[in-house]
Amino acid sequence: MWDASEKTLYAICAFLLLEKVLEVYLTMRQIRVYKQSKTVPKELQHVMTNDTFEKARVYGLDRAYFGVVSVLVCDVLIQLLELSCGFIALVWARSVEISATIGLNPKSEIQVGCLFAMLLNLVGMLKDMPFKIYNTFVLEEKHGFNKQTAGFFIKDQIKSLLLGQVLSLPIAAAFVYIVQIGGQYFFIWLFVFITAVSLLLITIYPVYIAPLFDKFRPLEDGELKQRIHELAGSVKFPLGQLFVVEGSKRSAHSNAYFTGLFVKRIVLFDTLLVNKGLPEDDPSLTESDKGKGCSNDEVLAVLAHELGHWKLGHVVKNIVIVQVQLFLIFLAFSQLFTYGPVYEAIGMPPGEKPILLGFLVIMTYVLAPYNTMISFVMTVISRRFEYQSDAFAQQLGYAKDLGNALIKLQLDNLGFPVYDWMYSAWNHSHPTVLQRLARLKTIDQGEDKTHKPKTQ
């Protein structure tokens, strides 16, 4: 008979396989849609050419195959090998050995834990690097979206690694310390600490962290800036600053968002704006850049949608949901982290129960079924929020412009308009463009049709 640690390991592996088999199955359903779809949907025939449809189909197909390979290699093969070999336990043991050689105290769980976190960050980056390189310089390059040079990419990765270490090491040290001194209800103090850190990061990210990776410039004075301020004022949005981010140095994809907990910033990708938001005679504009982007009315429609998330309380609701989930995870951790078989299942000697390692295993593997369920529920909620924000933009008079913007963004990003219903329900936090256009049409007509086709 299997002992408790073996049962724990086999249960972890079984769920891992089950989840990834489901993901691959759903992706294969979508691959079948890519292969069988040969004509532009009638809703888009007036704006989408057969050539663009074919490019989007091939792009989606390439991304789907890449996704299947990534899942099978990273999430199945490598993870199963790590679990069977006790890789995480080996990293901990190596951290203890290294700490003794570099002047740290190998008996201090805080010091060893910080070294453990550093090594895991480094290993994680190295594991992901081949796939990042392929995705950026092969897949995205092939379809005309990559704008990064090798040097830009390398600097990005180094900055990400260093920033990750700077942020994660003090948090890891404080995490272990709180568990050690927090007593029976340490999970409450953990929750308070992580919540405070999260809110701090939300506050400082747009000011100090985001500019490390991208260049931001104030939106030039003119009609668009004036109308954005008028739109924000009409819904009483506390707009503090309005920026354009030079996303075109990284990718040709477009977006817009707002950030900040207290001082709100609206950020527009330069690829969203006509001529990247620059004068038509600007020397930095290439011929392919000129004339591309959304009109002022379409940009305002996109922002009206984003402001809908704020006005309807979606941002606050998401923060509350995340905090509740965080509390429940810490509560579960407090009940499970002393259970020896959890540690023995991943290769630790009997009796050794490092706090950080225990949290990693419990969070990643033991709570995996719960995390999967919550992820799906959050996807459902997110799709509902998107429809509500579209309706908010429609109430402000932007239904037609939002529909045009959605179509333009779909075309510019080579988004494929046809999706398998099961794949979309599981993977898409946003409804498909056809679903959103159909809902905007029914809202505009004062109707609320809930029937959705299975392939959309």
Side-chain angles (χ1 to χ4, degrees):
M1 287 294 294
W2 298 329
D3 61 24
S5 64
E6 291 174 323
K7 291 179 181 177
T8 302
L9 176 60
Y10 297 150
I12 289 171
C13 293
F15 182 79
L16 172 65
L17 280 173
L18 179 64
E19 182 182 28
K20 300 311 171 184
V21 165
L22 173 61
E23 289 183 16
V24 171
Y25 166 71
L26 294 176
T27 304
M28 295 307 296
R29 288 178 61 100
Q30 179 58 27
I31 286 175
R32 184 172 60 189
V33 171
Y34 286 133
K35 290 183 175 180
Q36 294 177 350
S37 300
K38 300 297 183 182
T39 58
V40 182
K42 64 179 184 296
E43 299 91 337
L44 299 176
Q45 285 178 356
H46 64 293
V47 290
M48 192 175 198
T49 65
N50 290 328
D51 182 59
T52 301
F53 181 82
E54 179 62 15
K55 289 179 180 178
R57 188 186 71 84
V58 174
Y59 179 54
L61 195 59
D62 286 349
R63 291 199 63 83
Y65 279 129
F66 175 69
V68 169
V69 173
S70 298
V71 167
L72 292 178
V73 174
C74 291
D75 298 338
V76 177
L77 179 61
I78 292 178
Q79 282 203 53
L80 289 178
L81 283 174
E82 288 181 350
L83 286 167
S84 62
C85 297
F87 176 75
I88 299 177
L90 291 174
V91 175
W92 180 266
R94 187 61 177 157
S95 300
V96 174
E97 294 173 6
I98 294 175
S99 65
T101 63
I102 61 175
L104 298 178
N105 181 3
K107 294 183 180 180
S108 168
E109 193 166 333
I110 291 179
Q111 295 182 29
V112 175
C114 287
L115 186 57
F116 172 73
M118 188 187 312
L119 291 176
L120 279 186
N121 286 339
L122 181 60
V123 169
M125 187 194 75
L126 293 176
K127 285 194 299 184
D128 292 341
M129 191 56 63
F131 296 92
K132 285 183 178 180
I133 292 173
Y134 181 87
N135 180 67
T136 302
F137 294 103
V138 179
L139 200 156
E140 293 290 295
E141 184 82 24
K142 173 184 175 182
H143 295 279
F145 288 116
N146 176 48
K147 303 298 180 182
Q148 299 183 63
T149 63
F152 186 93
F153 178 83
I154 292 171
K155 285 192 292 185
D156 235 19
Q157 302 309 308
I158 293 174
K159 285 189 286 188
S160 296
L161 178 64
L162 293 177
L163 181 64
Q165 304 291 21
V166 168
L167 294 177
S168 64
L169 295 188
I171 293 174
F175 188 100
V176 175
Y177 181 70
I178 291 171
V179 175
Q180 289 176 336
I181 69 166
Q184 181 180 357
Y185 299 106
F186 72 83
F187 61 93
I188 297 177
W189 302 112
L190 266 184
F191 170 73
V192 171
F193 169 70
I194 296 298
T195 298
V197 170
S198 300
L199 296 179
L200 176 63
L201 289 175
I202 291 173
T203 303
I204 69 173
Y205 174 82
V207 180
Y208 299 106
I209 297 178
L212 295 175
F213 297 92
D214 293 298
K215 184 178 180 180
F216 293 77
R217 70 173 192 267
L219 179 64
E220 287 77 8
D221 292 335
E223 178 192 358
L224 179 59
K225 184 175 181 177
Q226 179 183 346
R227 293 181 65 186
I228 290 174
H229 277 282
E230 291 173 354
L231 174 62
S234 70
V235 297
K236 296 181 172 58
F237 179 77
L239 176 58
Q241 296 164 307
L242 186 54
F243 286 98
V244 176
V245 59
E246 294 186 358
S248 56
K249 289 186 176 180
R250 188 183 304 276
S251 170
H253 294 295
S254 303
N255 203 353
Y257 61 94
F258 69 86
T259 63
L261 193 61
F262 302 108
V263 177
K264 304 293 186 182
R265 290 183 168 198
I266 288 180
V267 179
L268 309 172
F269 277 50
D270 60 352
T271 48
L272 182 68
L273 306 176
V274 174
N275 297 331
K276 297 183 181 179
L278 299 170
E280 192 169 341
D281 57 354
D282 191 286
S284 66
L285 286 174
T286 64
E287 287 301 318
S288 61
D289 292 330
K290 292 181 179 179
K292 292 188 68 175
C294 293
S295 69
N296 286 354
D297 286 336
E298 291 163 353
V299 172
L300 288 165
V302 172
L303 291 180
H305 169 91
E306 295 301 325
L307 291 174
H309 286 304
W310 171 80
K311 190 69 173 181
L312 297 172
H314 297 163
V315 177
V316 173
K317 290 173 184 176
N318 279 329
I319 291 175
V320 171
I321 291 171
V322 168
Q323 297 311 310
V324 170
Q325 296 309 314
L326 193 62
F327 181 82
L328 294 176
I329 287 170
F330 287 151
L331 176 61
F333 171 65
S334 71
Q335 302 302 308
L336 296 171
F337 87 109
T338 58
Y339 184 59
V342 168
Y343 298 85
E344 294 169 27
I346 51 92
M348 290 298 293
E352 290 194 29
K353 303 172 185 177
I355 293 168
L356 272 185
L357 185 145
F359 180 72
L360 176 65
V361 173
I362 290 169
M363 175 68 183
T364 306
Y365 299 115
V366 177
L367 295 180
Y370 172 79
N371 294 335
T372 299
M373 178 190 70
I374 291 300
S375 176
F376 178 70
V377 171
M378 290 301 295
T379 298
V380 173
I381 292 173
S382 175
R383 291 166 72 95
R384 180 177 178 83
F385 285 173
E386 291 302 316
Y387 281 133
Q388 291 175 351
S389 290
D390 283 350
F392 180 84
Q394 185 274 337
Q395 291 169 6
L396 293 177
Y398 288 104
K400 181 179 178 181
D401 292 315
L402 180 58
N404 291 338
L406 291 174
I407 291 171
K408 189 169 288 186
L409 292 175
Q410 182 84 2
L411 298 178
D412 289 348
N413 293 327
L414 281 187
F416 194 67
V418 187
Y419 286 95
D420 173 79
W421 71 276
M422 286 180 64
Y423 174 87
S424 181
W426 185 261
N427 289 282
H428 290 162
S429 61
H430 289 48
T432 68
V433 67
L434 293 183
Q435 289 171 333
R436 293 177 71 178
L437 291 174
R439 181 65 67 92
L440 280 170
K441 184 177 180 181
T442 57
I443 291 173
D444 214 25
Q445 295 172 347
E447 300 174 0
D448 187 18
K449 299 175 183 179
T450 56
H451 174 70
K452 305 183 188 71
K454 283 190 173 183
T455 301
Q456 179 121 308

